[in-house]
């Protein structure tokens, strides 16, 4: 019962994050919404694992969190410098 409500709550907040990612006025709003969507996906995987009696899904959720963090850093670096290779070449807007 509690895990069902938790999954429903996570799905609702994922929908709200998806709406913000599409309608965000700035690129940073979209980046934060995408990062929040990734975090909620990680929570959903963990809760679904415990709901189905497979707590080893927590390992998959942690891997997803690490990949989401690396992706967020890569997108932030790309939006600041214009490339992912070197910090020397800064693109001024």
């Amino acid at each position: 019962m509690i895990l069902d409500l938790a999954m429903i709550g996570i799905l609702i907040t994922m929908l709200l994050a998806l709406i913000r990612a599409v309608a965000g006025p700035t690129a940073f709003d979209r980046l934060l919404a995408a990062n929040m969507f990734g975090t909620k996906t990680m929570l959903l995987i963990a809760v679904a694992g415990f709901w189905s009696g497979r707590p080893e899904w927590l390992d998959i959720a942690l891997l997803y969190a690490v990949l989401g963090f690396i992706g967020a850093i890569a997108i932030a670096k790309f939006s600041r410098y214009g490339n992912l290779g070197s910090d020397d070449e800064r693109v001024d807007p």
Side-chain angles (χ1 to χ4, degrees):
M1 172 82 177
I2 294 294
L3 292 177
D4 295 334
L5 292 175
M7 287 179 70
I8 291 170
I10 292 169
L11 286 171
I12 290 170
T13 57
M14 286 175 74
L15 177 67
L16 293 173
L18 191 61
I19 290 170
R20 175 51 67 188
V22 171
T26 66
F28 293 110
D29 287 332
R30 290 186 173 108
L31 174 65
L32 288 174
N35 194 12
M36 184 173 124
F37 189 82
T39 302
K40 296 298 180 181
T41 303
M42 178 199 63
L43 287 172
L44 187 66
I45 291 170
V47 171
F50 283 107
W51 181 75
S52 65
R54 307 272 317 250
E56 61 269 8
W57 285 11
L58 187 60
D59 296 335
I60 297 169
L62 289 173
L63 178 66
Y64 191 85
V66 169
L67 291 175
F69 176 72
I70 292 170
I73 296 298
I75 291 171
K77 183 176 179 181
F78 183 77
S79 69
R80 179 175 175 123
Y81 295 109
N83 63 11
L84 294 176
S86 173
D87 290 341
D88 297 336
E89 301 174 25
R90 182 162 192 247
V91 176
D92 290 326

